[in-house]
Amino acid sequence: WVGVCRELMRRDDVDRSDDWRPSARRERLVQRAALFASIREFFAVRSVLEVDTPALVRRGVTDVNLTAITARLDDQELFLHTSPEYAMKRLLAAGSGDIYQLCHAYRAEERSALHNPEFTMLEWYRLGFSMDELIEEVAALLDTAMQACGAAPRPLRRLRYRDACLQCFGVDPLEAPREKLAQLALEAGLTGEAAASLTRDGLLDFLVGVRLGPTLGDDCWLALTHYPASQAALAQLDPHDPAVALRFEMYADGVELANGFQELANAAEQAERFAADNRERAARGLPHRTADERLLAALHAGLPACSGVALGVDRALMIATGAERIDDVLPFTIEQA
């Protein structure tokens, strides 16, 4: 009997704690479910196939701006994917046709009001689409998501990266000397040590993230387009202006929602970009990441002409509901997992 009483007291202590409770209110969970349903209906009427690829993968990303979360299986180092991109491109090369995936993604980045290390990503690929056509579809998808949550649709605007930087910083991001970008970064709050350690692109990323990004997408969907060629990642270069890439990011209310490319299909060029990433990793003291040889093999076999985009679903739900923190739209945060 004494033992039973102690167990009941222990359970009562647990019951009095609020730590087990979800982060989001039930109202937000209902809106989250409605948003998921609207996404699936959006693609169903367009005959885009839903797919499901592994979250645990054998190759981490080489991108210096992404930090994959590692895992171990026996004596193997594995990674939780930062996005399903590589596996989805293998499906495209194998003849899948238009595809989308709604899944969790994992990034060991700074925990913030906009980022939880585990979050929900929507990624999709459209065969034969140009970057501009995909931008139109991203805006249409976001409007559908807004209406599912009881919010109003928004107009779409486009702004070139170069023009945006000229307006915000008064410098041409493609031509400004590194010293000028470092000066602007210091004025925006970057420490001298950090500014000295960053490349031109690192300084531009900081300036866009701290100064430019928060000004974009007031009451609209703002597509920031034509990033510098040095920031192409997995995008084609613009054949009319190879100094820039066919890459865009979508913003709303100062929040980055999506990152999209008119996809690079050249295996040799992509392999060189991965190698360049690893050279930059070495310069920054970051671990080497072996390039995904299966992705490169798929590109060599033939990726169909397409455009693709990854969209942060939790952030879109924040915009739709007016939530100020990602915690308010997640069932459980990393602290509660």
Side-chain angles (χ1 to χ4, degrees):
W1 175 249
V2 173
V4 171
C5 287
R6 285 175 177 166
E7 175 64 14
L8 289 173
M9 290 173 64
R10 184 189 68 77
R11 292 180 184 176
D12 190 47
D13 286 343
V14 172
D15 290 343
R16 285 199 302 267
S17 169
D18 283 340
D19 189 54
W20 61 271
R21 293 186 180 278
S23 178
R25 305 193 310 270
R26 187 178 186 280
E27 175 191 0
R28 291 287 184 263
L29 299 179
V30 170
Q31 291 171 314
R32 187 179 180 90
L35 187 149
F36 281 27
S38 72
I39 288 170
R40 290 192 162 98
E41 182 179 1
F42 181 90
F43 288 117
V45 300
R46 290 164 172 77
S47 299
V48 180
L49 179 69
E50 182 172 10
V51 297
D52 182 23
T53 63
L56 198 59
V57 296
R58 297 185 179 277
R59 298 298 184 213
V61 290
T62 60
D63 191 325
V64 296
N65 297 311
L66 296 178
T67 304
I69 297 172
T70 59
R72 297 209 68 84
L73 180 62
D74 299 327
D75 60 346
Q76 303 175 70
E77 182 182 50
L78 301 174
F79 303 88
L80 291 169
H81 70 189
T82 56
S83 91
E85 178 174 7
Y86 293 2
M88 292 181 76
K89 285 182 174 177
R90 289 164 60 186
L91 291 175
L92 291 164
S96 66
D98 294 332
I99 53 176
Y100 80 96
Q101 185 167 180
L102 188 59
C103 65
H104 282 200
Y106 309 83
R107 297 183 181 182
E109 298 166 6
E110 182 180 357
R111 177 75 165 94
S112 71
L114 294 175
H115 179 68
N116 189 67
E118 180 177 4
F119 60 98
T120 302
M121 176 178 285
L122 170 64
E123 185 147 342
W124 76 95
Y125 293 86
R126 299 289 257 138
L127 273 60
F129 269 43
S130 67
M131 179 181 71
D132 284 334
E133 289 172 314
L134 186 60
I135 287 171
E136 294 281 351
E137 188 165 76
V138 172
L141 181 282
L142 287 168
D143 278 344
T144 297
M146 294 303 105
Q147 291 170 314
C149 296
R154 297 180 174 215
L156 170 64
R157 290 186 55 228
R158 292 176 172 85
L159 180 63
R160 284 184 173 245
Y161 183 102
R162 190 176 197 172
D163 294 337
C165 289
L166 283 166
Q167 292 171 19
C168 187
F169 312 129
V171 299
D172 186 330
L174 305 184
E175 299 178 359
R178 187 195 170 285
E179 293 74 17
K180 179 60 178 178
L181 297 176
Q183 177 190 338
L184 291 169
L186 290 170
E187 293 171 359
L190 190 65
T191 66
E193 182 179 359
S197 69
L198 291 178
T199 63
R200 288 186 83 263
D201 284 319
L203 292 166
L204 284 169
D205 283 344
F206 174 80
L207 290 168
V208 170
V210 172
R211 293 257 326 264
L212 175 61
T215 70
L216 299 176
D218 185 16
D219 296 324
C220 71
W221 308 123
L222 191 288
L224 188 64
T225 70
H226 298 87
Y227 275 63
S230 55
Q231 298 181 32
L234 288 90
Q236 295 179 30
L237 300 186
D238 187 340
H240 304 295
D241 182 4
V244 298
L246 296 177
R247 172 188 170 190
F248 71 93
E249 290 188 352
M250 189 73 83
Y251 284 82
D253 296 345
V255 176
E256 179 201 337
L257 296 178
N259 184 24
F261 308 140
Q262 192 162 319
E263 302 292 345
L264 178 66
N266 186 303
E269 184 175 348
Q270 189 61 70
E272 174 49 37
R273 292 187 191 179
F274 287 156
D277 285 346
N278 271 316
R279 290 192 292 271
E280 178 62 19
R281 282 182 161 274
R284 295 192 189 187
L286 299 174
H288 178 90
R289 294 296 183 217
T290 302
D292 191 320
E293 57 272 86
R294 290 189 174 97
L295 170 63
L296 293 173
L299 296 180
H300 183 75
L303 182 73
C306 64
S307 291
V309 62
L311 184 145
V313 175
D314 309 306
R315 291 184 180 186
L317 185 55
M318 288 177 65
I319 299 299
T321 61
E324 295 184 356
R325 293 185 58 83
I326 195 170
D327 305 38
D328 298 333
V329 299
L330 294 176
F332 296 102
T333 66
I334 187 65
E335 292 81 11
Q336 301 169 302

PDB file of all heavy atoms in Angstrom, residues 164-197:
ATOM      1  N   ALA A 164      17.408  45.354 -55.493  1.00  0.00           N
ATOM      2  CA  ALA A 164      17.063  45.450 -54.071  1.00  0.00           C
ATOM      3  C   ALA A 164      18.250  45.924 -53.242  1.00  0.00           C
ATOM      4  O   ALA A 164      18.098  46.765 -52.342  1.00  0.00           O
ATOM      5  CB  ALA A 164      16.572  44.096 -53.563  1.00  0.00           C
ATOM      6  N   CYS A 165      19.435  45.405 -53.546  1.00  0.00           N
ATOM      7  CA  CYS A 165      20.636  45.814 -52.807  1.00  0.00           C
ATOM      8  C   CYS A 165      21.002  47.260 -53.099  1.00  0.00           C
ATOM      9  O   CYS A 165      21.424  48.004 -52.202  1.00  0.00           O
ATOM     10  CB  CYS A 165      21.801  44.893 -53.139  1.00  0.00           C
ATOM     11  SG  CYS A 165      21.633  43.223 -52.449  1.00  0.00           S
ATOM     12  N   LEU A 166      20.850  47.670 -54.345  1.00  0.00           N
ATOM     13  CA  LEU A 166      21.116  49.072 -54.688  1.00  0.00           C
ATOM     14  C   LEU A 166      20.179  49.998 -53.921  1.00  0.00           C
ATOM     15  O   LEU A 166      20.601  51.051 -53.410  1.00  0.00           O
ATOM     16  CB  LEU A 166      20.959  49.279 -56.197  1.00  0.00           C
ATOM     17  CG  LEU A 166      22.120  48.793 -57.066  1.00  0.00           C
ATOM     18  CD1 LEU A 166      21.710  48.738 -58.537  1.00  0.00           C
ATOM     19  CD2 LEU A 166      23.336  49.719 -56.898  1.00  0.00           C
ATOM     20  N   GLN A 167      18.898  49.605 -53.807  1.00  0.00           N
ATOM     21  CA  GLN A 167      17.933  50.428 -53.098  1.00  0.00           C
ATOM     22  C   GLN A 167      18.208  50.457 -51.597  1.00  0.00           C
ATOM     23  O   GLN A 167      18.093  51.503 -50.952  1.00  0.00           O
ATOM     24  CB  GLN A 167      16.514  49.903 -53.345  1.00  0.00           C
ATOM     25  CG  GLN A 167      16.019  50.066 -54.766  1.00  0.00           C
ATOM     26  CD  GLN A 167      14.702  49.344 -55.008  1.00  0.00           C
ATOM     27  OE1 GLN A 167      13.974  49.013 -54.056  1.00  0.00           O
ATOM     28  NE2 GLN A 167      14.379  49.097 -56.272  1.00  0.00           N
ATOM     29  N   CYS A 168      18.571  49.307 -51.032  1.00  0.00           N
ATOM     30  CA  CYS A 168      18.719  49.188 -49.582  1.00  0.00           C
ATOM     31  C   CYS A 168      20.083  49.656 -49.085  1.00  0.00           C
ATOM     32  O   CYS A 168      20.180  50.351 -48.066  1.00  0.00           O
ATOM     33  CB  CYS A 168      18.479  47.746 -49.154  1.00  0.00           C
ATOM     34  SG  CYS A 168      18.443  47.479 -47.361  1.00  0.00           S
ATOM     35  N   PHE A 169      21.149  49.286 -49.802  1.00  0.00           N
ATOM     36  CA  PHE A 169      22.510  49.555 -49.328  1.00  0.00           C
ATOM     37  C   PHE A 169      23.240  50.631 -50.123  1.00  0.00           C
ATOM     38  O   PHE A 169      24.290  51.120 -49.698  1.00  0.00           O
ATOM     39  CB  PHE A 169      23.363  48.275 -49.393  1.00  0.00           C
ATOM     40  CG  PHE A 169      22.706  47.062 -48.810  1.00  0.00           C
ATOM     41  CD1 PHE A 169      22.642  45.871 -49.526  1.00  0.00           C
ATOM     42  CD2 PHE A 169      22.142  47.093 -47.550  1.00  0.00           C
ATOM     43  CE1 PHE A 169      22.043  44.747 -48.998  1.00  0.00           C
ATOM     44  CE2 PHE A 169      21.535  45.981 -47.002  1.00  0.00           C
ATOM     45  CZ  PHE A 169      21.483  44.794 -47.732  1.00  0.00           C
ATOM     46  N   GLY A 170      22.721  50.946 -51.319  1.00  0.00           N
ATOM     47  CA  GLY A 170      23.391  51.920 -52.163  1.00  0.00           C
ATOM     48  C   GLY A 170      24.629  51.387 -52.851  1.00  0.00           C
ATOM     49  O   GLY A 170      25.466  52.176 -53.311  1.00  0.00           O
ATOM     50  N   VAL A 171      24.767  50.067 -52.939  1.00  0.00           N
ATOM     51  CA  VAL A 171      25.913  49.463 -53.624  1.00  0.00           C
ATOM     52  C   VAL A 171      25.437  48.352 -54.546  1.00  0.00           C
ATOM     53  O   VAL A 171      24.388  47.743 -54.320  1.00  0.00           O
ATOM     54  CB  VAL A 171      26.949  48.883 -52.625  1.00  0.00           C
ATOM     55  CG1 VAL A 171      27.516  49.968 -51.724  1.00  0.00           C
ATOM     56  CG2 VAL A 171      26.351  47.748 -51.796  1.00  0.00           C
ATOM     57  N   ASP A 172      26.218  48.091 -55.575  1.00  0.00           N
ATOM     58  CA  ASP A 172      25.942  47.004 -56.505  1.00  0.00           C
ATOM     59  C   ASP A 172      26.541  45.726 -55.926  1.00  0.00           C
ATOM     60  O   ASP A 172      27.763  45.635 -55.771  1.00  0.00           O
ATOM     61  CB  ASP A 172      26.571  47.314 -57.863  1.00  0.00           C
ATOM     62  CG  ASP A 172      26.195  46.298 -58.931  1.00  0.00           C
ATOM     63  OD1 ASP A 172      25.956  45.127 -58.570  1.00  0.00           O
ATOM     64  OD2 ASP A 172      26.152  46.667 -60.110  1.00  0.00           O
ATOM     65  N   PRO A 173      25.728  44.734 -55.588  1.00  0.00           N
ATOM     66  CA  PRO A 173      26.253  43.520 -54.946  1.00  0.00           C
ATOM     67  C   PRO A 173      27.167  42.703 -55.849  1.00  0.00           C
ATOM     68  O   PRO A 173      27.954  41.893 -55.363  1.00  0.00           O
ATOM     69  CB  PRO A 173      24.990  42.734 -54.597  1.00  0.00           C
ATOM     70  CG  PRO A 173      23.983  43.182 -55.610  1.00  0.00           C
ATOM     71  CD  PRO A 173      24.280  44.643 -55.819  1.00  0.00           C
ATOM     72  N   LEU A 174      27.078  42.915 -57.160  1.00  0.00           N
ATOM     73  CA  LEU A 174      27.910  42.162 -58.087  1.00  0.00           C
ATOM     74  C   LEU A 174      29.280  42.796 -58.282  1.00  0.00           C
ATOM     75  O   LEU A 174      30.217  42.130 -58.725  1.00  0.00           O
ATOM     76  CB  LEU A 174      27.213  42.030 -59.442  1.00  0.00           C
ATOM     77  CG  LEU A 174      25.807  41.416 -59.435  1.00  0.00           C
ATOM     78  CD1 LEU A 174      25.295  41.275 -60.851  1.00  0.00           C
ATOM     79  CD2 LEU A 174      25.780  40.077 -58.717  1.00  0.00           C
ATOM     80  N   GLU A 175      29.397  44.075 -57.949  1.00  0.00           N
ATOM     81  CA  GLU A 175      30.639  44.791 -58.236  1.00  0.00           C
ATOM     82  C   GLU A 175      31.287  45.450 -57.024  1.00  0.00           C
ATOM     83  O   GLU A 175      32.468  45.804 -57.082  1.00  0.00           O
ATOM     84  CB  GLU A 175      30.373  45.855 -59.306  1.00  0.00           C
ATOM     85  CG  GLU A 175      29.890  45.278 -60.635  1.00  0.00           C
ATOM     86  CD  GLU A 175      29.586  46.362 -61.664  1.00  0.00           C
ATOM     87  OE1 GLU A 175      29.738  47.565 -61.328  1.00  0.00           O
ATOM     88  OE2 GLU A 175      29.204  46.003 -62.795  1.00  0.00           O
ATOM     89  N   ALA A 176      30.559  45.636 -55.939  1.00  0.00           N
ATOM     90  CA  ALA A 176      31.095  46.343 -54.774  1.00  0.00           C
ATOM     91  C   ALA A 176      32.304  45.602 -54.210  1.00  0.00           C
ATOM     92  O   ALA A 176      32.282  44.369 -54.087  1.00  0.00           O
ATOM     93  CB  ALA A 176      30.027  46.472 -53.698  1.00  0.00           C
ATOM     94  N   PRO A 177      33.381  46.314 -53.861  1.00  0.00           N
ATOM     95  CA  PRO A 177      34.534  45.651 -53.262  1.00  0.00           C
ATOM     96  C   PRO A 177      34.181  45.052 -51.901  1.00  0.00           C
ATOM     97  O   PRO A 177      33.275  45.548 -51.203  1.00  0.00           O
ATOM     98  CB  PRO A 177      35.568  46.772 -53.124  1.00  0.00           C
ATOM     99  CG  PRO A 177      34.783  48.035 -53.169  1.00  0.00           C
ATOM    100  CD  PRO A 177      33.580  47.767 -54.019  1.00  0.00           C
ATOM    101  N   ARG A 178      34.887  44.008 -51.550  1.00  0.00           N
ATOM    102  CA  ARG A 178      34.623  43.338 -50.289  1.00  0.00           C
ATOM    103  C   ARG A 178      34.723  44.307 -49.108  1.00  0.00           C
ATOM    104  O   ARG A 178      33.951  44.214 -48.138  1.00  0.00           O
ATOM    105  CB  ARG A 178      35.625  42.185 -50.114  1.00  0.00           C
ATOM    106  CG  ARG A 178      35.334  41.318 -48.902  1.00  0.00           C
ATOM    107  CD  ARG A 178      36.484  40.413 -48.506  1.00  0.00           C
ATOM    108  NE  ARG A 178      36.186  39.809 -47.224  1.00  0.00           N
ATOM    109  CZ  ARG A 178      36.263  40.457 -46.061  1.00  0.00           C
ATOM    110  NH1 ARG A 178      36.618  41.715 -46.025  1.00  0.00           N
ATOM    111  NH2 ARG A 178      35.956  39.825 -44.933  1.00  0.00           N
ATOM    112  N   GLU A 179      35.664  45.236 -49.158  1.00  0.00           N
ATOM    113  CA  GLU A 179      35.868  46.177 -48.059  1.00  0.00           C
ATOM    114  C   GLU A 179      34.617  47.020 -47.817  1.00  0.00           C
ATOM    115  O   GLU A 179      34.265  47.319 -46.667  1.00  0.00           O
ATOM    116  CB  GLU A 179      37.062  47.092 -48.363  1.00  0.00           C
ATOM    117  CG  GLU A 179      38.408  46.393 -48.391  1.00  0.00           C
ATOM    118  CD  GLU A 179      38.611  45.535 -49.639  1.00  0.00           C
ATOM    119  OE1 GLU A 179      37.854  45.740 -50.623  1.00  0.00           O
ATOM    120  OE2 GLU A 179      39.500  44.661 -49.614  1.00  0.00           O
ATOM    121  N   LYS A 180      33.935  47.421 -48.899  1.00  0.00           N
ATOM    122  CA  LYS A 180      32.706  48.207 -48.757  1.00  0.00           C
ATOM    123  C   LYS A 180      31.609  47.371 -48.115  1.00  0.00           C
ATOM    124  O   LYS A 180      30.867  47.852 -47.240  1.00  0.00           O
ATOM    125  CB  LYS A 180      32.256  48.722 -50.120  1.00  0.00           C
ATOM    126  CG  LYS A 180      30.970  49.537 -50.086  1.00  0.00           C
ATOM    127  CD  LYS A 180      31.087  50.767 -49.202  1.00  0.00           C
ATOM    128  CE  LYS A 180      29.820  51.596 -49.228  1.00  0.00           C
ATOM    129  NZ  LYS A 180      29.889  52.785 -48.326  1.00  0.00           N
ATOM    130  N   LEU A 181      31.484  46.091 -48.528  1.00  0.00           N
ATOM    131  CA  LEU A 181      30.475  45.212 -47.940  1.00  0.00           C
ATOM    132  C   LEU A 181      30.768  44.976 -46.460  1.00  0.00           C
ATOM    133  O   LEU A 181      29.849  44.934 -45.632  1.00  0.00           O
ATOM    134  CB  LEU A 181      30.426  43.881 -48.695  1.00  0.00           C
ATOM    135  CG  LEU A 181      30.023  43.954 -50.169  1.00  0.00           C
ATOM    136  CD1 LEU A 181      30.101  42.583 -50.807  1.00  0.00           C
ATOM    137  CD2 LEU A 181      28.617  44.539 -50.315  1.00  0.00           C
ATOM    138  N   ALA A 182      32.060  44.838 -46.117  1.00  0.00           N
ATOM    139  CA  ALA A 182      32.435  44.651 -44.714  1.00  0.00           C
ATOM    140  C   ALA A 182      32.071  45.878 -43.886  1.00  0.00           C
ATOM    141  O   ALA A 182      31.580  45.770 -42.753  1.00  0.00           O
ATOM    142  CB  ALA A 182      33.932  44.358 -44.610  1.00  0.00           C
ATOM    143  N   GLN A 183      32.291  47.058 -44.449  1.00  0.00           N
ATOM    144  CA  GLN A 183      31.941  48.296 -43.747  1.00  0.00           C
ATOM    145  C   GLN A 183      30.436  48.356 -43.477  1.00  0.00           C
ATOM    146  O   GLN A 183      29.998  48.691 -42.365  1.00  0.00           O
ATOM    147  CB  GLN A 183      32.362  49.507 -44.571  1.00  0.00           C
ATOM    148  CG  GLN A 183      31.970  50.847 -43.954  1.00  0.00           C
ATOM    149  CD  GLN A 183      32.187  52.011 -44.919  1.00  0.00           C
ATOM    150  OE1 GLN A 183      32.969  51.917 -45.856  1.00  0.00           O
ATOM    151  NE2 GLN A 183      31.472  53.095 -44.691  1.00  0.00           N
ATOM    152  N   LEU A 184      29.634  48.019 -44.489  1.00  0.00           N
ATOM    153  CA  LEU A 184      28.182  48.021 -44.325  1.00  0.00           C
ATOM    154  C   LEU A 184      27.751  46.999 -43.275  1.00  0.00           C
ATOM    155  O   LEU A 184      26.837  47.251 -42.484  1.00  0.00           O
ATOM    156  CB  LEU A 184      27.504  47.713 -45.655  1.00  0.00           C
ATOM    157  CG  LEU A 184      27.611  48.804 -46.730  1.00  0.00           C
ATOM    158  CD1 LEU A 184      27.125  48.263 -48.066  1.00  0.00           C
ATOM    159  CD2 LEU A 184      26.801  50.027 -46.319  1.00  0.00           C
ATOM    160  N   ALA A 185      28.415  45.825 -43.268  1.00  0.00           N
ATOM    161  CA  ALA A 185      28.083  44.789 -42.293  1.00  0.00           C
ATOM    162  C   ALA A 185      28.409  45.244 -40.875  1.00  0.00           C
ATOM    163  O   ALA A 185      27.653  44.980 -39.930  1.00  0.00           O
ATOM    164  CB  ALA A 185      28.824  43.497 -42.632  1.00  0.00           C
ATOM    165  N   LEU A 186      29.539  45.931 -40.708  1.00  0.00           N
ATOM    166  CA  LEU A 186      29.896  46.470 -39.384  1.00  0.00           C
ATOM    167  C   LEU A 186      28.851  47.474 -38.922  1.00  0.00           C
ATOM    168  O   LEU A 186      28.439  47.473 -37.753  1.00  0.00           O
ATOM    169  CB  LEU A 186      31.279  47.121 -39.440  1.00  0.00           C
ATOM    170  CG  LEU A 186      32.477  46.184 -39.596  1.00  0.00           C
ATOM    171  CD1 LEU A 186      33.745  46.985 -39.875  1.00  0.00           C
ATOM    172  CD2 LEU A 186      32.658  45.330 -38.339  1.00  0.00           C
ATOM    173  N   GLU A 187      28.401  48.311 -39.834  1.00  0.00           N
ATOM    174  CA  GLU A 187      27.378  49.308 -39.497  1.00  0.00           C
ATOM    175  C   GLU A 187      26.054  48.634 -39.142  1.00  0.00           C
ATOM    176  O   GLU A 187      25.256  49.195 -38.374  1.00  0.00           O
ATOM    177  CB  GLU A 187      27.181  50.270 -40.667  1.00  0.00           C
ATOM    178  CG  GLU A 187      28.390  51.157 -40.936  1.00  0.00           C
ATOM    179  CD  GLU A 187      28.263  51.941 -42.238  1.00  0.00           C
ATOM    180  OE1 GLU A 187      27.232  51.772 -42.932  1.00  0.00           O
ATOM    181  OE2 GLU A 187      29.194  52.703 -42.571  1.00  0.00           O
ATOM    182  N   ALA A 188      25.831  47.426 -39.686  1.00  0.00           N
ATOM    183  CA  ALA A 188      24.595  46.688 -39.412  1.00  0.00           C
ATOM    184  C   ALA A 188      24.705  45.806 -38.172  1.00  0.00           C
ATOM    185  O   ALA A 188      23.757  45.089 -37.836  1.00  0.00           O
ATOM    186  CB  ALA A 188      24.218  45.829 -40.617  1.00  0.00           C
ATOM    187  N   GLY A 189      25.863  45.850 -37.489  1.00  0.00           N
ATOM    188  CA  GLY A 189      25.984  45.137 -36.222  1.00  0.00           C
ATOM    189  C   GLY A 189      26.880  43.921 -36.200  1.00  0.00           C
ATOM    190  O   GLY A 189      27.032  43.281 -35.163  1.00  0.00           O
ATOM    191  N   LEU A 190      27.514  43.582 -37.321  1.00  0.00           N
ATOM    192  CA  LEU A 190      28.427  42.443 -37.341  1.00  0.00           C
ATOM    193  C   LEU A 190      29.722  42.823 -36.626  1.00  0.00           C
ATOM    194  O   LEU A 190      30.209  43.943 -36.763  1.00  0.00           O
ATOM    195  CB  LEU A 190      28.724  42.033 -38.786  1.00  0.00           C
ATOM    196  CG  LEU A 190      29.467  40.701 -38.989  1.00  0.00           C
ATOM    197  CD1 LEU A 190      28.616  39.531 -38.518  1.00  0.00           C
ATOM    198  CD2 LEU A 190      29.833  40.521 -40.465  1.00  0.00           C
ATOM    199  N   THR A 191      30.298  41.905 -35.878  1.00  0.00           N
ATOM    200  CA  THR A 191      31.546  42.193 -35.185  1.00  0.00           C
ATOM    201  C   THR A 191      32.704  42.259 -36.172  1.00  0.00           C
ATOM    202  O   THR A 191      32.638  41.678 -37.267  1.00  0.00           O
ATOM    203  CB  THR A 191      31.864  41.104 -34.144  1.00  0.00           C
ATOM    204  OG1 THR A 191      32.118  39.865 -34.818  1.00  0.00           O
ATOM    205  CG2 THR A 191      30.713  40.930 -33.167  1.00  0.00           C
ATOM    206  N   GLY A 192      33.760  42.955 -35.790  1.00  0.00           N
ATOM    207  CA  GLY A 192      34.920  43.074 -36.667  1.00  0.00           C
ATOM    208  C   GLY A 192      35.549  41.742 -36.976  1.00  0.00           C
ATOM    209  O   GLY A 192      35.956  41.478 -38.119  1.00  0.00           O
ATOM    210  N   GLU A 193      35.629  40.859 -35.980  1.00  0.00           N
ATOM    211  CA  GLU A 193      36.218  39.531 -36.192  1.00  0.00           C
ATOM    212  C   GLU A 193      35.403  38.734 -37.192  1.00  0.00           C
ATOM    213  O   GLU A 193      35.950  38.087 -38.092  1.00  0.00           O
ATOM    214  CB  GLU A 193      36.308  38.789 -34.862  1.00  0.00           C
ATOM    215  CG  GLU A 193      36.952  37.412 -34.972  1.00  0.00           C
ATOM    216  CD  GLU A 193      37.035  36.713 -33.625  1.00  0.00           C
ATOM    217  OE1 GLU A 193      36.611  37.298 -32.609  1.00  0.00           O
ATOM    218  OE2 GLU A 193      37.522  35.563 -33.599  1.00  0.00           O
ATOM    219  N   ALA A 194      34.082  38.780 -37.040  1.00  0.00           N
ATOM    220  CA  ALA A 194      33.210  38.046 -37.961  1.00  0.00           C
ATOM    221  C   ALA A 194      33.308  38.624 -39.367  1.00  0.00           C
ATOM    222  O   ALA A 194      33.378  37.882 -40.354  1.00  0.00           O
ATOM    223  CB  ALA A 194      31.776  38.077 -37.470  1.00  0.00           C
ATOM    224  N   ALA A 195      33.317  39.934 -39.471  1.00  0.00           N
ATOM    225  CA  ALA A 195      33.391  40.575 -40.788  1.00  0.00           C
ATOM    226  C   ALA A 195      34.688  40.208 -41.500  1.00  0.00           C
ATOM    227  O   ALA A 195      34.701  39.985 -42.719  1.00  0.00           O
ATOM    228  CB  ALA A 195      33.280  42.094 -40.645  1.00  0.00           C
ATOM    229  N   ALA A 196      35.783  40.116 -40.751  1.00  0.00           N
ATOM    230  CA  ALA A 196      37.078  39.778 -41.344  1.00  0.00           C
ATOM    231  C   ALA A 196      37.112  38.345 -41.841  1.00  0.00           C
ATOM    232  O   ALA A 196      37.864  38.015 -42.765  1.00  0.00           O
ATOM    233  CB  ALA A 196      38.189  40.007 -40.324  1.00  0.00           C
ATOM    234  N   SER A 197      36.285  37.486 -41.255  1.00  0.00           N
ATOM    235  CA  SER A 197      36.330  36.061 -41.605  1.00  0.00           C
ATOM    236  C   SER A 197      35.421  35.689 -42.764  1.00  0.00           C
ATOM    237  O   SER A 197      35.540  34.600 -43.324  1.00  0.00           O
ATOM    238  CB  SER A 197      35.934  35.216 -40.386  1.00  0.00           C
ATOM    239  OG  SER A 197      34.550  35.376 -40.085  1.00  0.00           O
TER     240      SER A 197
END
